Amino acid sequence: MLPLDELRTLLKEHDDPLHLERPGDFDKEASARRFGGLTAALERRFGPSGGAGLYQDASVYGRFSVADGAGSAGSLWVELSNFGGFVTAGTGTDWSDDSAADLSAEFVTWLDEVCTAAGCVFVPLELLLEPYDGPTPTLVDDDRFFLETLAALGPDGPEGTEDEDDEEDLQAVWCHRYFDYV
């Protein structure tokens, strides 16, 4: 696996606020080949218990899921971004430290080798959970703007807009840029 500083540099290099869903030079055939290589390797490893799907209106290209893939969280997922051939993986249903921690070192090493063979770059979920500091607006920014607008309405505005978790939930992370809807 590439060193984390090198991966951070790649994430920043591929960030383009003019292209939210896919880069301007997006190569549909190359992405299809990459995803095909990833899914073929994952199908060999997990057999018929896995399934793949593509995304629309998102910066993520596709996802391979295994219902009972790994660890105590159960499901395993591997995603390919439209940008940089970035690939990440986790368990459970969302991006979290637990999702990242539940992957075995053996699986991460294997996946990194598969990514290299498929022309992809494995990016650990832990890195993608770091605060996003790039120039591209994310859905989190839209949510923050919406809540700020509601708060500006004052006490006579809509009820239920004061939630202690809102501030934490409104911190964009790198997953929002490269593995989310736009």
Side-chain angles (χ1 to χ4, degrees):
M1 182 168 41
L2 293 173
L4 294 181
D5 287 342
E6 218 173 298
L7 290 170
R8 284 184 189 97
T9 299
L10 286 173
L11 291 172
K12 290 179 181 187
E13 284 176 359
H14 286 276
D15 199 354
D16 179 357
L18 299 178
H19 299 96
L20 304 179
E21 190 173 331
R22 63 182 64 90
D25 61 351
F26 181 71
D27 186 339
K28 191 165 103 173
E29 288 78 25
S31 290
R33 275 192 308 277
R34 287 176 179 147
F35 195 63
L38 285 170
T39 57
L42 288 159
E43 286 170 348
R44 283 190 299 275
R45 183 173 177 123
F46 293 104
S49 64
L54 302 178
Y55 283 80
Q56 185 174 339
D57 302 325
S59 58
V60 59
Y61 182 84
R63 173 184 267 221
F64 185 90
S65 300
V66 181
D68 294 316
S72 59
S75 63
L76 165 76
W77 49 265
V78 176
E79 291 184 342
L80 170 67
S81 176
N82 286 329
F83 290 83
F86 300 138
V87 171
T88 197
T91 60
T93 59
D94 59 5
W95 305 317
S96 70
D97 291 328
D98 290 340
S99 294
D102 213 15
L103 295 176
S104 72
E106 180 273 329
F107 177 77
V108 169
T109 300
W110 175 83
L111 183 58
D112 184 52
E113 291 169 2
V114 167
C115 287
T116 301
C120 303
V121 177
F122 176 70
V123 182
L125 185 57
E126 296 94 333
L127 177 62
L128 293 168
L129 292 172
E130 291 179 359
Y132 174 71
D133 59 356
T136 305
T138 67
L139 288 178
V140 172
D141 298 311
D142 291 345
D143 290 346
R144 186 181 308 110
F145 176 74
F146 177 70
L147 289 175
E148 288 169 357
T149 302
L150 287 178
L153 293 173
D156 295 331
E159 299 281 327
T161 60
E162 296 151 16
D163 185 353
E164 294 87 39
D165 293 333
D166 283 345
E167 201 165 309
E168 182 180 315
D169 292 344
L170 295 178
Q171 171 62 58
V173 294
W174 282 95
C175 281
H176 292 118
R177 174 62 186 104
Y178 290 123
F179 295 91
D180 201 3
Y181 289 98
V182 293

